[in-house]
Amino acid sequence: MKEEIQQKILRYENLLNEVLRKDLEKCLELRDKIYVEQAEFLALKNTILTIKEAGLAEREPLKSKVDLGCNFYCEAKVDDPTRIMVAIGMGFFLEMTLDEALSFISKKDKELSEEATKLTKQSTNIKANIKVVIMGLKELQNIALEPSRTQQRDIFA
């Protein structure tokens, strides 16, 4: 009987450490990647809006400073700022007008938000499963589920 309980404990611990926690880690990593991608699209949207608000005349070049990394900037000149290249996925880029890019960004942001929501729900379910397994382990090992409180005397009596 004791040996069966020890084997159950080992199986639950294995499930907890090898399956559930790794699944949770993967799920949270995927969600974080989606959040990074959303941030990049938001930055692109802000850049597009800034270009549109600049009120450049038709075919007037745009001068800007570009961050090369480590806060090292160089001056850049864009001959035709009315069209931009947007990464659409799988390593492909598509040339779009500013309005087309804004439309694409809003659709992509909505899609990414839905995916992030799904991953958040999935991670919540995994966390709940982890808690259930921990409670089962505590019960199998006869560990008190909640620390026992000492009886306090009534000060108003």
Side-chain angles (χ1 to χ4, degrees), residues 21-102:
R21 291 193 184 190
K22 287 183 181 180
D23 287 349
L24 179 63
E25 186 178 325
K26 287 177 189 176
C27 187
L28 293 176
E29 283 177 9
L30 287 173
R31 190 183 67 177
D32 289 344
K33 285 180 184 179
I34 288 175
Y35 286 153
V36 167
E37 192 173 352
Q38 274 186 308
E40 289 173 355
F41 277 115
L42 180 62
L44 178 60
K45 179 180 179 180
N46 290 336
T47 302
I48 291 170
L49 293 175
T50 303
I51 291 171
K52 288 181 84 166
E53 290 173 1
L56 299 172
E58 192 170 325
R59 300 292 180 195
E60 181 181 349
L62 172 71
K63 290 185 180 178
S64 177
K65 288 187 178 180
V66 178
D67 186 5
L68 298 176
C70 297
N71 290 327
F72 187 74
Y73 292 88
C74 72
E75 203 169 288
K77 179 181 170 187
V78 180
D79 293 328
D80 184 15
T82 61
R83 301 184 73 75
I84 61 171
M85 300 292 283
V86 179
I88 59 171
M90 303 294 288
F92 290 99
F93 290 81
L94 185 63
E95 186 175 353
M96 299 181 186
T97 64
L98 298 179
D99 293 328
E100 290 172 339
L102 285 173

Side-chain angles (χ1 to χ4, degrees), residues 6-22:
Q6 290 299 325
Q7 287 180 354
K8 278 187 181 181
I9 290 172
L10 286 175
R11 283 199 312 257
Y12 279 128
E13 286 176 346
N14 187 39
L15 173 71
L16 180 67
N17 294 323
E18 299 299 322
V19 178
L20 293 176
R21 291 193 184 190
K22 287 183 181 180

Side-chain angles (χ1 to χ4, degrees), residues 114-136:
E114 289 173 0
E115 186 66 28
T117 302
K118 286 180 187 175
L119 288 170
T120 300
K121 287 180 182 177
Q122 185 178 354
S123 68
T124 304
N125 288 337
I126 294 171
K127 287 178 186 178
N129 289 338
I130 288 173
K131 286 186 179 185
V132 167
V133 170
I134 288 173
M135 296 294 275

Side-chain angles (χ1 to χ4, degrees), residues 134-147:
I134 288 173
M135 296 294 275
L137 281 169
K138 284 182 177 181
E139 189 175 308
L140 283 173
Q141 295 172 341
N142 294 325
I143 298 174
L145 297 178
E146 290 184 18

Side-chain angles (χ1 to χ4, degrees), residues 150-157:
T150 58
Q151 186 68 20
Q152 297 178 351
R153 85 182 156 91
D154 188 9
I155 60 170
F156 296 110

